[in-house]
Every structure is written in C-alpha cells, then in structure tokens.
Amino acid sequence: MTPEDQGLPVHDRTDNTSVSLSFLDQTPASGSIISEKLPDNNSSSQIMISMAVEWAKQYYSTIWTTNQDHLYQELEANTELDITEFDQQRSRIVSQLLQMLNIAGEIAWNKIEALLGSHQVILNLIKKTEIIQDTCHLYRKTIEAYAQYEHPSRLSVLVGRDIIVIRRKYSSVNALFIAILATEFNYVGKILLDWIPLKSQSVFLLYFKALEDYLHAPLAEIYALAATHPPDSEALIAVQQLLSQTTTIAQTVYQRICQSYPDYCSMSGNLRNTMVHYSSVRDIELFQIYLCLCALESSLRPIQEELFPICVILYPQLNVSWKLVQDMLSHILWQLYYNLSSENFRVFLPYIHALTEMFSDQVVY
C-alpha cells in the first residue's frame, strides 16, 4: 500500500530509515484481553493488538446490549484577538449569561436524557445536580474572565486547576462519566452562544473553545507523565513533536474528510457547519493526544479505559458514522507519517495500529 493509494500527497522522506506500513493490510487473530506494558518485539506487539481488538469487541457488545443491569456494578489561543471588541455590550452580555447559566445547565441535561435514553442505567448513576453545578462553575469562571478582559489563553491559569479537579472527579469513577460531563459541557456552551448577539459570538466562542479543549484533553496527565521521563526518552521526544503539530494535523485531516464526505450530516449538522468544524477538529486533536498518553505510559490503557468507551457511547447517538471514524484514523496515520520523523513515527505506530483495529468493522457496526 502506498501513499498514492490513499489519495494523499507523496512525501519525500530524506532519511534512510525504512518505515513499514504493511500492517494496514493485516487482520489480527482473535485473542483475549488485556495488556499493560507494550511488548518490544513485533510478534508480541501483534498479540497485544489482537487482545485489544477482542476486548473492544466485548466492550462494544456490552454497551449496546439490551440488558445493561451489570453496568451498574462495573461501571486556540488567537494572539491577535481584540478582547475589547464589542465593549459596549460586554456588561449586558455578562449579566445575562450569569443569570441564565443554571437554566442552561438544566436544558442541557434534558438534551442528554433525550440523547442517551437507551443508556438510562448509566445516567441514573450520575448526580444530575452535581454535574450541572460543576459545569456551571467552570463556565461562570470563564464568563468572569471575559468580564475582566482576560485573554482566552489565560484560562489555563485561571480555570486550569478547577478543570483538572473536576475532570479527575468523574474519570476516577468511570470513563463514561467523562463522556456525559463533556456532553453537558458542550450543550451548555451552545445554549449560551445562542443567547449572545451574533456579532459578539466570534469573540466569546474563543473563550468557550479554550475551556472545552482543556476539559476534553487529558493534558494534565500528559504533563505529569512527561515529568517522569528523562530528557532523552524516545517517547517524550516523540510526544513533544506531535503535540506541537496536533492542530495542524487535525485541520488537514478535517479537510480531507470534508472532501470525502461532502454531503455528510451528523446530528449537529453538515461538516462545514462552524460548530461541527470546531468539534471535529477538536476530536481529531483528542485522538492524537490519547496517542501521546499511550506512548508516555507504554500502554493501551488510555484508549481502552477512556477514549474507546467515550466514542462508543456518544458517536452512534450523534449519528457519527463508524466509516467516517475509520477514514479519519487512516488520515491521521498518514499525517503522522508525513509530519513526524521516522523515529518518532515508530513510537506511535503500535498505538495507531491498535486504535485502527479497535474501530474496525469487526468491532464496531
């Protein structure tokens, strides 16, 4: 299989290192689960991937079974932004949003109940008032930052600690809780934006986008793990290069998906819709960030315990096609190949391979 076969531009690699992509034509054998540390040799790596695929099959069938009783037991900073723009309306907007915040939280939860009605057992495990309070708390601090003319890039300092605490609070129980928290958060943001005058939305969207990005991505975990690696760690060096390019890669992948699916619509709208564009790029970035987490842990745990469950519970409900997800992963792989050094690409290769197989037709349908 060649880059031309994938419809991607041919990249002239100047180094002499051979990077094999032959695994794209391979189908792993069945096995059982679960691996902790990634084995070094190719044979063991194939076994590990096979085990991950088998685990993914079991998880997928478990989530979509008609009897879910057992689940109860197992359960971009824009530096050119003029933040003084539309200053005359700022006070009125802030006052209105703060007054309506709790109502937005209630409306958002009602949307979640309608969206995930088939997973009522899971929803019953979550304290509705608590998740609404936590979501509103983060938005309240963000609105206050906007009122005080803080730049969106400052939210990592102003709200970062709160986000880490809240994210860990839910992820420590079950990855599905993170999915529901993120959905509540997304709905509240959209509701608030609808209440903002159209000409002010472009400024406010950057605040909400920054906040949502921090909530979705396990960046705190990545930074903590990175601190445990020596400076010459292969995983650390690879992660540093990828993190510097996640947005660029995500934008390229998004454009290629739009070309392949010009008429595609999810529940949120057409791929060219502004909010769908934003959320799509964020999701593509998220997949890359989870690859970084896997590399730093030398484990598939982040994908198995967080990313895969989140996608399985949300994507079908949002009418996101598994074929689209599979094509997205293929494009991510090739963009990693083109944008990373051969040494750094090899660090991520086992994880993107496993991720591709876990979202294959033999698992999701």
Side-chain angles (χ1 to χ4, degrees):
M1 182 175 293
T2 65
E4 295 95 325
D5 296 330
Q6 290 293 309
L8 299 178
V10 178
H11 179 67
D12 180 19
R13 301 188 71 87
T14 57
D15 60 300
N16 296 321
T17 307
S18 172
V19 179
S20 172
L21 296 176
S22 60
F23 69 82
L24 290 174
D25 295 318
Q26 299 173 357
T27 301
S30 296
S32 59
I33 60 172
I34 281 177
S35 64
E36 285 299 326
K37 294 296 181 179
L38 183 70
D40 293 329
N41 62 77
N42 291 335
S43 176
S44 296
S45 180
Q46 288 297 323
I47 294 173
M48 177 274 297
I49 291 169
S50 177
M51 292 165 66
V53 169
E54 192 64 23
W55 170 86
K57 287 181 182 178
Q58 295 177 25
Y59 186 90
Y60 184 85
S61 62
T62 295
I63 282 296
W64 290 104
T65 182
T66 54
N67 179 8
Q68 297 178 346
D69 290 343
H70 60 285
L71 286 178
Y72 198 103
Q73 308 298 327
E74 295 181 359
L75 269 167
E76 111 203 299
N78 183 347
T79 56
E80 298 179 356
L81 172 67
D82 180 8
I83 62 172
T84 65
E85 194 175 5
F86 314 122
D87 185 62
Q88 294 179 347
Q89 299 189 65
R90 182 178 298 257
S91 177
R92 181 178 61 81
I93 291 174
V94 168
S95 177
Q96 178 183 355
L97 291 181
L98 289 176
Q99 289 178 13
M100 303 297 289
L101 191 53
N102 288 331
I103 296 176
E106 293 284 347
I107 296 174
W109 183 259
N110 291 337
K111 286 177 174 287
I112 288 178
E113 289 187 323
L115 179 72
L116 299 177
S118 60
H119 298 286
Q120 193 62 46
V121 172
I122 298 174
L123 292 178
N124 289 341
L125 297 176
I126 296 180
K127 296 179 180 178
K128 167 188 169 181
T129 55
E130 196 168 332
I131 199 169
I132 292 175
Q133 288 173 359
D134 288 338
T135 301
C136 291
H137 169 73
L138 294 178
Y139 271 112
R140 186 173 294 107
K141 297 197 73 168
T142 301
I143 294 168
E144 291 170 351
Y146 168 79
Q148 295 166 12
Y149 298 90
E150 296 283 2
H151 196 279
S153 61
R154 287 267 299 155
L155 289 177
S156 60
V157 177
L158 299 172
V159 195
R161 187 175 296 277
D162 299 77
I163 292 175
I164 291 173
V165 170
I166 290 175
R167 195 179 191 284
R168 286 178 176 170
K169 170 183 173 181
Y170 291 93
S171 64
S172 63
V173 180
N174 192 290
L176 297 181
F177 288 12
I178 279 288
I180 295 171
L181 172 66
T183 306
E184 167 78 9
F185 200 85
N186 180 263
Y187 281 153
V188 170
K190 289 180 178 178
I191 292 168
L192 293 179
L193 282 173
D194 285 342
W195 292 341
I196 296 174
L198 186 61
K199 63 181 181 180
S200 302
Q201 287 183 6
S202 59
V203 175
F204 226 106
L205 179 61
L206 291 176
Y207 286 83
F208 287 175
K209 179 184 184 300
L211 185 62
E212 192 168 29
D213 286 349
Y214 293 136
L215 181 68
H216 274 75
L219 291 174
E221 288 84 349
I222 285 182
Y223 299 150
L225 275 171
T228 68
H229 283 249
D232 59 349
S233 160
E234 290 185 358
L236 179 60
I237 293 171
V239 166
Q240 287 174 327
Q241 185 181 17
L242 180 53
L243 284 179
S244 69
Q245 300 188 53
T246 52
T247 300
T248 300
I249 290 174
Q251 291 285 3
T252 301
V253 171
Y254 167 76
Q255 292 301 332
R256 295 199 178 280
I257 290 296
C258 286
Q259 292 169 10
S260 300
Y261 297 84
D263 301 319
Y264 180 83
C265 277
S266 69
M267 183 175 288
S268 301
N270 186 276
L271 282 171
R272 295 292 185 181
N273 175 279
T274 300
M275 292 304 296
V276 175
H277 176 191
Y278 150 63
S279 61
S280 298
V281 170
R282 183 203 63 215
D283 283 0
I284 299 168
E285 290 175 328
L286 189 63
F287 273 74
Q288 296 175 76
I289 289 171
Y290 270 96
L291 289 175
C292 290
L293 199 54
C294 286
L296 291 173
E297 284 194 12
S298 295
S299 168
L300 285 174
R301 184 206 62 80
I303 293 174
Q304 290 182 318
E305 294 186 5
E306 293 188 26
L307 183 61
F308 187 80
I310 290 172
C311 293
V312 166
I313 198 75
L314 288 183
Y315 280 179
Q317 304 296 338
L318 296 172
N319 195 30
V320 175
S321 160
W322 290 124
K323 180 63 169 62
L324 184 147
V325 175
Q326 292 161 4
D327 288 348
M328 176 198 72
L329 288 170
S330 176
H331 286 307
I332 289 177
L333 183 149
W334 284 104
Q335 289 305 313
L336 295 181
Y337 174 67
Y338 292 136
N339 287 278
L340 303 181
S341 69
S342 297
E343 294 79 8
N344 291 344
F345 175 71
R346 276 198 299 271
V347 170
F348 296 110
L349 191 54
Y351 308 110
I352 187 67
H353 183 186
L355 195 55
T356 300
E357 296 295 343
M358 289 170 69
F359 282 96
S360 66
D361 288 338
Q362 63 175 313
V363 178
V364 295
Y365 44 85

